[in-house]
Amino acid sequence: MLHCYVIAFVLVFSPFIAISNASAGDADPRYRNCVKECDESGCIGKRCFPNCKISADEVPVIGPPWGMLEPLYARWKKAHCKSNCHYYCMLDREKDRELLNNEPEKYHGRWPFKRIYGIQDPASMVFSSLNLVMHLHGWMSFFTLIYNKLPLKARKRPYYEYAGLWHIYGLLSLNSWFWSAIFHSRYCEIIERLYHFSAVALIGYSLILAILRSFNVKDEATRVMIPAPLISFVATHIMYLNFYKLDHEWNFKVCLAMSVAQLATWAIWGAVSHHPSRWKLRFAVLMSGLAVSLQIYDFPPYEGHVDAQALRHAITVPLTYLWWSFIRDDAAFLTSERLKNSKKSK
């Protein structure tokens, strides 16, 4: 079984070094000139946007640094204006490219999507929302199992040593998929940063959790020492994206490296472990590898709606249910083992 995982991960990881996620579309001079004119005039040709018109009473009259504290409504209008300028300039530029039989280009790290009822990326938004619901269901069912169905120690402490770690995982997952749904509804710089930061935090923590569970780390001191370098790296990476440069290509490579490392850890443990629910782990790892490969072998949205990322989010919906099922099985299995060992020691 191990060689099957090795083949799968070689296929996923092989193009990693050659990946390029740079956005050629937003580097186009004609696109940039269109956005600049729209920002200044609030119009693209005969199409004008009311939100680009900010009245004098919405602009702060106090100089820096207090002048930077603009009213939230004015900031929202500016962000909405900028989003419309980028969107319609992108559509116009893609129409010109289509007439020349050229392939679509990415703009600001994203493919050109067609809005539906104002939603920027409807397919990814729907699947992100479904993932949010599935994680909420999985986490609540895990919580119910731990504290209402399985035996507890004194002071209502669970026998399952990884319960607290999975609770943190559940919260980070809910946070990440929430911002994913918001981000795919309408692009905005602040929401985009929250989306990327939440995803990085979840992927980094998932790698830590994979290492701790696979190597059966139970000592509290070791649980602190092992994650420390990874936590430092993830925190530094988030600060780099926030305060220096929101580099989509670099962030993509970092997330991919952590995802592959996490899946490799689970795959090796699943291959050598005699866990009663190891088939769930193995299937989840292989399907997750497929989802990661969709992120690598990216393609433009079909009919302007469904791209590789939307399909990846669709795959993770049933995968999330299976994953939380494995987590519950793991909790029941280790609780049973701890009870047997405690009875033998007596």
Side-chain angles (χ1 to χ4, degrees):
M1 179 61 70
L2 182 58
H3 72 280
C4 297
Y5 289 107
V6 172
I7 293 172
F9 283 108
V10 167
L11 291 174
V12 169
F13 194 72
S14 58
F16 172 64
I17 302 299
I19 290 171
S20 176
N21 196 34
S23 303
D26 52 275
D28 187 344
R30 293 178 62 181
Y31 169 80
R32 288 190 172 189
N33 290 334
C34 175
V35 172
K36 182 179 179 182
E37 292 177 6
C38 180
D39 286 338
E40 294 173 352
S41 64
C43 297
I44 301 175
K46 295 182 180 180
R47 186 191 297 115
C48 296
F49 311 110
N51 286 318
C52 293
K53 306 295 183 181
I54 299 178
S55 60
D57 58 348
E58 292 176 338
V59 179
V61 296
I62 304 175
W66 299 106
M68 297 173 63
L69 302 177
E70 299 179 85
L72 292 177
Y73 178 66
R75 290 189 180 187
W76 178 85
K77 289 183 70 176
K78 285 184 178 180
H80 192 59
C81 170
K82 189 175 182 179
S83 175
N84 283 329
C85 289
H86 285 181
Y87 176 71
Y88 287 103
C89 284
M90 174 191 71
L91 285 187
D92 290 346
R93 189 69 190 98
E94 284 302 306
K95 288 178 182 178
D96 295 338
R97 293 181 59 81
E98 187 177 356
L99 293 175
L100 298 174
N101 293 321
N102 292 332
E103 293 294 325
E105 295 283 2
K106 282 189 174 183
Y107 295 80
H108 307 284
R110 300 178 293 272
W111 290 113
F113 291 94
K114 294 179 181 178
R115 290 178 178 175
I116 297 180
Y117 297 109
I119 299 174
Q120 191 80 28
D121 185 356
S124 291
M125 188 275 291
V126 170
F127 291 132
S128 295
S129 301
L130 289 175
N131 274 287
L132 175 64
V133 172
M134 294 305 294
H135 273 287
L136 179 61
H137 173 269
W139 180 47
M140 293 304 296
S141 62
F142 173 73
F143 187 92
T144 302
L145 174 70
I146 290 292
Y147 295 103
N148 292 337
K149 296 181 180 180
L150 293 178
L152 297 172
K153 297 180 183 178
R155 299 180 182 179
K156 295 186 177 181
R157 293 175 57 192
Y159 283 93
Y160 185 54
E161 303 93 335
Y162 304 95
L165 297 175
W166 285 117
H167 287 320
I168 297 173
Y169 169 80
L171 291 173
L172 289 176
S173 298
L174 293 175
N175 176 68
S176 179
W177 286 110
F178 170 79
W179 288 114
S180 177
I182 298 297
F183 170 69
H184 290 298
S185 299
R186 179 61 67 92
Y187 298 145
C188 172
E189 184 177 354
I190 296 176
I191 295 176
E192 182 177 14
R193 290 179 182 274
L194 290 169
Y195 163 69
H196 287 302
F197 300 165
S198 300
V200 171
L202 175 60
I203 295 171
Y205 181 79
S206 297
L207 175 57
I208 292 172
L209 190 50
I211 294 171
L212 295 179
R213 179 62 190 94
S214 298
F215 289 93
N216 199 26
V217 179
K218 293 179 285 187
D219 181 67
E220 291 297 330
T222 309
R223 283 189 175 187
V224 174
M225 292 174 60
I226 291 177
L230 279 170
I231 293 174
S232 300
F233 172 76
V234 170
T236 303
H237 177 64
I238 290 176
M239 287 190 290
Y240 169 83
L241 295 176
N242 189 39
F243 298 109
Y244 182 69
K245 182 182 179 182
L246 187 59
D247 190 332
H248 295 92
E249 180 181 0
W250 171 243
N251 183 57
F252 177 78
K253 290 181 177 181
V254 168
C255 290
L256 179 61
M258 291 192 296
S259 297
V260 171
Q262 176 204 162
L263 292 178
T265 303
W266 285 121
I268 295 172
W269 183 60
V272 301
S273 172
H274 297 287
H275 197 286
S277 297
R278 57 188 177 275
W279 71 268
K280 293 183 180 180
L281 176 61
R282 293 170 180 174
F283 185 77
V285 168
L286 290 177
M287 292 303 295
S288 296
L290 174 61
V292 171
S293 68
L294 283 173
Q295 190 73 354
I296 296 173
Y297 300 104
D298 202 4
F299 56 83
Y302 177 73
E303 297 294 333
H305 297 300
V306 179
D307 67 337
Q309 187 177 46
L311 291 180
R312 183 171 64 90
H313 290 345
I315 290 174
T316 55
V317 173
L319 192 60
T320 298
Y321 180 85
L322 179 66
W323 185 239
W324 278 105
S325 175
F326 167 75
I327 296 170
R328 292 193 299 270
D329 290 349
D330 187 51
F333 170 65
L334 285 188
T335 299
S336 176
E337 291 294 310
R338 300 297 178 262
L339 288 173
K340 289 179 183 178
N341 293 334
S342 63
K343 289 179 180 179
K344 288 180 180 179
S345 62
K346 291 180 181 179

